[in-house]
Amino acid sequence: MPVRSHPSRRPVGRRIRPLVRGVAVMAASLAVLSSLAGVAPAAPQPAGDADVDVRVNAQAALGTLSGAARGVNTAIWDAHMNDPEVADLMKAADVGVMRYPGGSYADIYHWETHTAPGGYVAPGTGFDAFMGTVRAAGAQPVLIANYGSGTPEEAAGWVRYANVTKNYGAKYWEIGNEIYGNGHYGSGWEHDDHEDKSPKEYARQVRAYASAMKAVDPTVKIGAVLTTPGEWPDGVVGPGDSGDWNHTVLPEVADVIDFVSVHWYAGGADTTAEDAMGKLAKLPGELREVRNQIDRAAGSGSSDIEIALTEINTNTGGARLTARPNGLFAADAFMTALENGVFTVDWWNTHNGAGQITTVDGETDYGDMGMLSSGACTGDVCQPAPNTPFHPYYGMKMTSELGTAGDTMVATESSAQDVSAHAVLRRDGRLSVMFINKNPDTARTVALDYAGFVPSGNAPEVSRYARGDGDITEVRDGEASASQVTVPPYALLTVTLDPQAGTGPGASNASTPGTPRVDAVTDTTARLTWDGAPGASRYLVQERDGAHTRLIGESTGTSVTLRNLPPGSAHTVNVLAADSSGRISRPSSPLTFSTSTPADAACRVTYHRDTSWGNGFVTTVTVQNLSDTPITGWTVDWDWPTAGQSVSSGWSATFHQSGSHVRVTASEDAGPLAPDGGSTASFGFVGANDGPNPDPTVFRLNGAVCSGG
């Protein structure tokens, strides 16, 4: 069972770490939606020298940016955390959250005495001083209650002091930091004095903390620590446990928590920023599995539980952290996480300390996981003056050029792996698109195509962060247009476009509909409801696949029943409102739901994961024939829900995998499957996963969809 090593806790350097589609009802192209709005979709012809195509769909919402979207971690061992320059820099980058008192230090920190036995506490880093910086930055705190050496009563006292005595209005409170790293799974970096270090005990304590803290201030939001699916120790079942960390904790606390906290690092100390930018492709699936786990545990209350990504960086400490590629990673990571359902992304760290010195892109990389220089040295190599921003700071700052609180993130699609694109529909109707050119040697010319947005003839506003720029730079050369943009190598570029007069959501008399909800779902149908929008005469329900959408339902009321859906299929939908003239509103936030398998199927398949260890697992599959005739010779088929899942080896059958599809064929000596469930056939396999490992949702026996799963 592999485990990940973790450096000891110290103030310098890092101290931890470890669509099935095919809806048939009312299927139509996006052009239908545009014609309903009375506006033809813009389709600018790409210039001949463009080598990248980017599509932006302003009618496919990915969610709304919150005031807490951009965040940073702060630590009580950081003597510069409350320098006046820090607040100014965070305000300039539209940072809305500052997390305290600093990762693993939270589980040894006692707020009232401002002490951390076994660790270093810098002068001037007390809670009140921290809150002074938070307020000066126009941000809000995320506070970590001491689980490792604290008590529910101590945490409740902190809530009382913060929100009753001082009236700070501290809203978000996590219960501990990375408590799964307390040694229960064989690797321990997180302090935990509890005799019982199991996930069940953590869940019991979370309930006690939540009760004590909400008795003082019922408005506080309580967060529980989860492992990130696909990252150690996800899937590992500890001694005496009935399930892994998440599947033990979530069902026990879903009724008392308001958010979950997960962390994401692309790899260990030898992971480069270039590696990390590639590994970022795993993050959407991992965050989706967090939401799936919440859905299963909380049921109808799932929408009340948010996801916070309270630590993120390229790697867990060592090198290649302050250089330009990590600035590109920061911009890409912030937006990728926000587009995939988290409300805050908090960078590790504000200041950290010098580590391994390397040269990257012709610049010194100080091996420092901070956004700002601490002025520290490694040997005779010293960082610039304290609070000098490193490249990740500018990566985060560029995302504030893209959008701020209340703006709507919308879907994009790039034809090139080394060019990422993210887009935001502004509240005033403008559209901003950020491009990240991860190619260190070559400028990339991007041809832009739009759905649901018609740009005006005005020259776009352009912001750039590239080699030679000391800050986000406003570009005035007029070379960028609504149809084509050239992005320098290793650079960030954001263009903001005005809509053509009389087009876009601003021209509609209909407001934005509420986020759709699933009222009822079967194997082939789903009934959706939503809160109505003033000015709406009818509503359009569209399904999203990447940056493409299609109309799948229409209603003059605030509900619709979708029919003929494939069993066990996942769907992501938005609702748009049309006014009496057919002009389309801004899209609602998205809903993702899945249909079930048929209850009256002629077969049943049981998929049981016997054990797992982070990047591998053993599963037993059992098949029953529920029809009234025997079956001689059989195949079982399924598709893996995420990339990176595979069958490594198996027994009691023959296995074949092509892409994400698996077919299992009965061995030649297998007997018939008796009718009416009179017998079973079982086979097993060793699987591998690089990323999240959700169970398949649909199994077919000789082509027929089965119940179970």
Side-chain angles (χ1 to χ4, degrees):
M1 183 179 298
V3 296
R4 299 170 62 182
S5 62
H6 301 268
S8 60
R9 182 175 56 240
R10 53 194 173 94
V12 177
R14 184 69 177 122
R15 78 281 173 266
I16 52 177
R17 215 37 51 225
L19 221 91
V20 178
R21 294 294 185 251
V23 177
V25 180
M26 301 181 67
S29 69
L30 183 62
V32 173
L33 282 173
S34 299
S35 64
L36 286 170
V39 177
Q45 295 299 312
D49 58 352
D51 55 5
V52 180
D53 296 314
V54 167
R55 175 183 175 84
V56 181
N57 190 336
Q59 290 181 326
L62 305 178
T64 301
L65 289 169
S66 75
R70 280 168 287 274
V72 296
N73 279 268
T74 58
I76 55 174
W77 41 256
D78 172 14
H80 294 289
M81 66 174 280
N82 293 315
D83 290 353
E85 299 94 327
V86 172
D88 293 340
L89 286 163
M90 296 307 159
K91 191 169 187 177
D94 194 36
V95 167
V97 155
M98 302 182 79
R99 184 173 180 251
Y100 178 92
S104 295
Y105 261 56
D107 286 305
I108 59 172
Y109 178 65
H110 301 284
W111 71 271
E112 193 165 15
T113 58
H114 189 51
T115 58
Y120 170 73
V121 178
T125 60
F127 177 56
D128 288 319
F130 163 72
M131 285 304 303
T133 299
V134 170
R135 288 187 159 186
Q140 61 180 310
V142 168
L143 301 173
I144 317 171
N146 183 343
Y147 176 87
S149 60
T151 65
E153 292 72 28
E154 182 183 33
W158 195 0
V159 173
R160 182 177 295 105
Y161 179 79
N163 291 355
V164 179
T165 303
K166 302 294 289 190
N167 198 30
Y168 286 142
K171 183 178 181 181
Y172 294 104
W173 299 76
E174 295 178 61
I175 311 304
N177 183 54
E178 295 172 341
I179 304 303
Y180 49 79
N182 61 9
H184 184 66
Y185 297 107
S187 183
W189 64 91
E190 199 75 18
H191 186 89
D192 185 359
D193 286 339
H194 296 89
E195 182 177 353
D196 183 351
K197 294 177 170 54
S198 69
K200 187 171 184 178
E201 176 63 12
Y202 175 71
R204 190 184 73 82
Q205 291 285 346
V206 165
R207 298 189 68 87
Y209 273 75
S211 177
M213 296 164 78
K214 290 193 174 188
V216 175
D217 182 355
T219 70
V220 298
K221 293 189 176 293
I222 302 298
V225 172
L226 295 186
T227 66
T228 303
E231 308 295 331
W232 189 92
D234 173 53
V236 179
V237 178
D241 297 341
S242 59
D244 66 4
W245 183 274
N246 289 7
H247 290 91
T248 302
V249 171
L250 264 175
E252 297 293 329
V253 303
D255 61 325
V256 299
I257 62 171
D258 305 283
F259 68 102
V260 298
S261 172
V262 294
H263 295 170
W264 196 84
Y265 292 83
D270 59 347
T271 299
T272 67
E274 292 90 341
D275 296 335
M277 286 188 282
K279 292 181 179 181
L280 198 56
K282 296 195 305 182
L283 184 57
E286 293 182 350
L287 291 173
R288 180 60 211 156
E289 182 58 16
V290 174
R291 174 50 62 189
N292 287 340
Q293 291 176 3
I294 296 172
D295 289 347
R296 290 191 291 267
S300 61
S302 174
S303 61
D304 296 328
I305 301 176
E306 298 181 284
I307 302 172
L309 185 55
T310 53
E311 288 187 24
I312 190 169
N313 207 313
T314 303
N315 63 49
T316 53
R320 300 169 294 274
L321 294 162
T322 64
R324 183 172 301 278
N326 214 24
L328 306 182
F329 170 83
D332 211 4
F334 269 85
M335 293 312 304
T336 298
L338 293 167
E339 291 164 351
N340 284 278
V342 308
F343 74 91
T344 185
V345 184
D346 307 333
W347 188 261
W348 182 270
N349 200 12
T350 303
H351 307 91
N352 207 66
Q356 181 181 348
I357 305 299
T358 56
T359 299
V360 179
D361 195 38
E363 299 178 299
T364 300
D365 187 293
Y366 298 98
D368 187 322
M369 301 183 78
M371 283 198 157
L372 309 177
S373 172
S374 65
C377 305
T378 294
D380 58 358
V381 178
C382 294
Q383 295 181 352
N387 299 313
T388 300
F390 292 133
H391 290 291
Y393 169 81
Y394 293 115
M396 177 180 67
K397 187 178 181 181
M398 181 60 93
T399 68
S400 69
E401 296 285 317
L402 181 64
T404 56
D407 294 339
T408 302
M409 297 171 287
V410 297
T412 62
E413 192 171 73
S414 172
S415 66
Q417 287 188 342
D418 60 355
V419 177
S420 294
H422 304 275
V424 167
L425 185 62
R426 303 289 194 120
R427 287 164 292 170
D428 60 8
R430 295 180 300 158
L431 180 72
S432 293
V433 188
M434 180 175 71
F435 307 94
I436 304 169
N437 183 1
K438 294 172 271 191
N439 189 312
D441 303 314
T442 306
R444 305 303 300 272
T445 300
V446 179
L448 279 161
D449 178 62
Y450 306 92
F453 181 81
V454 182
S456 74
N458 301 334
E461 298 176 11
V462 183
S463 299
R464 182 192 67 207
Y465 186 64
R467 291 172 178 138
D469 293 332
D471 200 341
I472 307 298
T473 302
E474 185 176 347
V475 180
R476 298 181 180 274
D477 58 18
E479 291 183 2
S481 70
S483 60
Q484 183 169 290
V485 176
T486 298
V487 189
Y490 256 21
L492 303 167
L493 196 77
T494 296
V495 298
T496 299
L497 305 154
D498 295 325
Q500 181 177 304
T503 70
S508 177
N509 292 321
S511 300
T512 306
T515 305
R517 304 176 297 272
V518 177
D519 274 1
V521 65
T522 69
D523 57 323
T524 59
T525 67
R527 177 177 170 79
L528 309 181
T529 61
W530 55 88
D531 294 336
S537 62
R538 68 187 185 283
Y539 298 93
L540 310 170
V541 180
Q542 59 176 6
E543 180 172 23
R544 175 172 63 85
D545 187 356
H548 296 265
T549 52
R550 57 181 176 179
L551 184 68
I552 60 170
E554 184 176 358
S555 175
T556 56
T558 56
S559 65
V560 69
T561 298
L562 306 177
R563 304 184 187 280
N564 300 323
L565 306 176
S569 56
H571 306 271
T572 298
V573 297
N574 298 104
V575 179
L576 302 99
D579 66 13
S580 58
S581 298
R583 294 171 299 211
I584 300 296
S585 72
R586 186 181 299 267
S588 73
S589 292
L591 164 73
T592 297
F593 69 92
S594 297
T595 55
S596 61
T597 55
D600 56 352
C603 52
R604 179 184 295 118
V605 171
T606 303
Y607 180 95
H608 183 267
R609 197 181 309 171
D610 305 324
T611 186
S612 56
W613 51 90
N615 61 354
F617 57 103
V618 176
T619 291
T620 299
V621 180
T622 303
V623 185
Q624 281 184 293
N625 169 25
L626 304 181
S627 72
D628 57 6
T629 57
I631 295 176
T632 301
W634 50 262
T635 60
V636 174
D637 293 80
W638 72 81
D639 292 286
W640 293 117
T642 66
Q645 293 176 286
S646 62
V647 174
S648 299
S649 61
W651 52 90
S652 301
T654 301
F655 295 78
H656 177 73
Q657 180 165 337
S658 177
S660 63
H661 185 76
V662 177
R663 169 161 288 187
V664 182
T665 305
S667 58
E668 292 183 359
D669 58 352
L673 283 170
D676 302 318
S679 66
T680 62
S682 295
F683 56 87
F685 63 91
V686 177
N689 59 291
D690 181 16
N693 188 29
D695 294 347
T697 56
V698 179
F699 295 87
R700 289 177 168 83
L701 176 64
N702 290 354
V705 176
C706 300
S707 62

